[in-house]
Amino acid sequence: MNMSDSERVRTIIETQTGYAWTDNEEEANMLGILACSVRQKAIDKVYSRIQKWNKWKHKKSLLTFISGCILADDMEKFLKLFDIVFRMSELEKLPEMIRQYGVVTPASLFTDLTAMPKNESINTFWKVTPHYSSGFEAFVPIQNGCDKFCTFCAVPYTRGREVSRPSGEILDEIANLVGQGYKSITLLGQNVNSYGHDKKGEEITFPQLLERIGEAGDNSGKEFWVYFTSPHPRDMTDEVIEVISRYKCLGKQIHLPIQSGDEKVLIRMNRKHTLEKYRDIIHTIRRLIPEATIFTDIIVGFTGETEEQFENTRKIMDEFRYNMAYIAQYSQRPGAVSSRWVDDVPTEVKKTRYHKLSNDLRRVSAANNRAMVGKIYRVLVTGHDRKAGYLSALTEGKIVTRFASENHDLIGNFVDLKITSSTDFSVEGEVITKT
Amino acid sequence: MTKISENTTKVHHIRHLTPSTYVLRFDRDQRPFTAGQHVILGIHGQKSAREYSIYSSENDDFFEVLVKAVKPGDVSQKLKELHHGDLLSVEGPMGFFTIEPEIVTQGKVVMIATGTGIAPYHSYVRSYPQLDYKMLHGVRYASEAYDRADYDPSRYVLCTSGENAGNLHGRVTDYLLENEIDTTADYYLCGNVKMIHEAFDILKEKGVNHAKIHAEVYF
């Protein structure tokens, strides 16, 4: 999400303020942060970074700003540390804030930043044509905010309620990207598959949106893959899966966060779905799209998680045979409901559970990858690999792949690979053909 | 009534049920609402806000929430000090602890609550007069049987843990353990997480399908 946000912020700054982009932090005259409130660590890093920048102000002219997912308490603190603080939905005001800075200060007082976020003005933000940072991979926001109120998460309090972007704008942006030859497009939203719910029948639904993208994509004569992240199991319908199975351009990779494999932990997390409902979704995916890869997110050591409840999470790793899982040790996030509860699982226990579950993942992922050996996969070449003389690529299922090649022109293009070997989290192959 | 702004509304009045628990009524401003949903409420101009299940009916032209004042400085305590005409910040309604229409018309529901967890059920019962329900309300003392007269006495079971003054002297989970369970009904659990976890285990043990258990944790 932040990648997509930053592309739009960059466009506004470059086109409306006269500042030019630099990759060198030390030579910049304006520095900004798009914060993420999902983890406290990310916010802690903001504080250390701004202290450094504020010291630089003694030596040179420097303007600082911050936006993104920020809780009201942090907003108040940032107002004292940054020159400009704004909500992402107020991006259109940023050039004026920059121009006015020093004339009317603080520029961030254009609005009440500590009030509950209102999302209606996010529509203006979506209209900004971003400066895409990659020539073949793009992120397209389709939805903002969250109504689910998972107890471990502060997003509903930083991003506000769910708001869907008009489907016409989304389809136009995708058509434009496809026309420019983009090969991987990811639809973004905090609850991407709740798309349209807020419009109460006045906008198409998420499966209908996917269907229109699929139809247009398959008729375009271009080759590309469209993904989405992150969906919520509560809103994942059979119709979504059925549509993905039908269109070639809809990537056969589904990221479906489970967070815990224990019913009672799911209740305490306020996830609003049962394990049974999640299991049904996985069965439908396996039935309709047998080749699909499945990724997930899991939190270990959530408040009150017992050893037995953790073991239930280990069981689902074997049951669902994930291709990848992003595992996090629970940490309290101020603003989230669970921050009011005692964080009663000791750090050492969290670490142990993290390592056990990571080992489980390694085992199932390795088995999945071994099954790929000897088969041919279409891959999108994404860049240089760490291994000298090799390029990195992703399969349609987003399995990390590498192959020997010095031909840098392949980056951003599709090739066919025969998989020759595998490791726990990647595979290696040989080029069969080149497009 | 005129809205001050999209997220602002006016207090009607407060009705005190016990020294700490009260019903706060405020303008609905024609916001669409399904029984079981909640709002985020705060004092206008202040940043702290909390989620409260709506207590009133879908058919009322106002909203009510059932609040227990927890401790000084909390939103629940500040809301208690409001007067007619004072401004509230309100977001929503939102949420998913609602009853499917076919269950309302054809199903049987067992609603289990502790304390102010009864709020969404009050909204169900007031919104759906035809609802075939049974209510288990767990409190410490009978004085916390909030608006008991609003429920059909033959469908309402009061479980009091701190005194022998209800239909059962004990917890709602004791009632579930001691009585026969209708496995065809849909079960709604609302209140503290400990009760929800215990009730969940008992219902599972007694053969109720996961899909028929719905929970809303009060924080």
Side-chain angles (χ1 to χ4, degrees), chain B residues 121-137:
Chain B
Y121 305 151
H122 187 265
S123 184
Y124 293 163
V125 170
R126 296 294 293 265
S127 302
Y128 314 129
Q130 75 276 37
L131 189 66
D132 184 358
Y133 74 92
K134 179 168 188 174
M135 169 95 74
L136 308 182
H137 189 200

Side-chain angles (χ1 to χ4, degrees), chain A residues 318-361:
Chain A
D318 273 320
E319 180 180 353
F320 299 140
R321 314 289 300 168
Y322 292 113
N323 297 86
M324 180 50 71
Y326 301 102
I327 303 168
Q329 297 172 53
Y330 171 70
S331 66
Q332 284 188 321
R333 178 70 194 102
V337 167
S338 65
S339 68
R340 301 174 207 159
W341 302 338
V342 179
D343 184 9
D344 56 0
V345 179
T347 306
E348 280 311 308
V349 174
K350 285 178 190 168
K351 276 187 191 166
T352 305
R353 290 179 188 174
Y354 174 83
H355 289 303
K356 278 184 181 174
L357 198 62
S358 297
N359 284 334
D360 293 339
L361 170 66

Side-chain angles (χ1 to χ4, degrees), chain B residues 20 42 78 83 97 111 127 139 175:
Chain B
S20 61
K78 289 179 183 169
H83 297 96
F97 195 57
M111 303 181 279
S127 302
V139 292
Y175 184 93

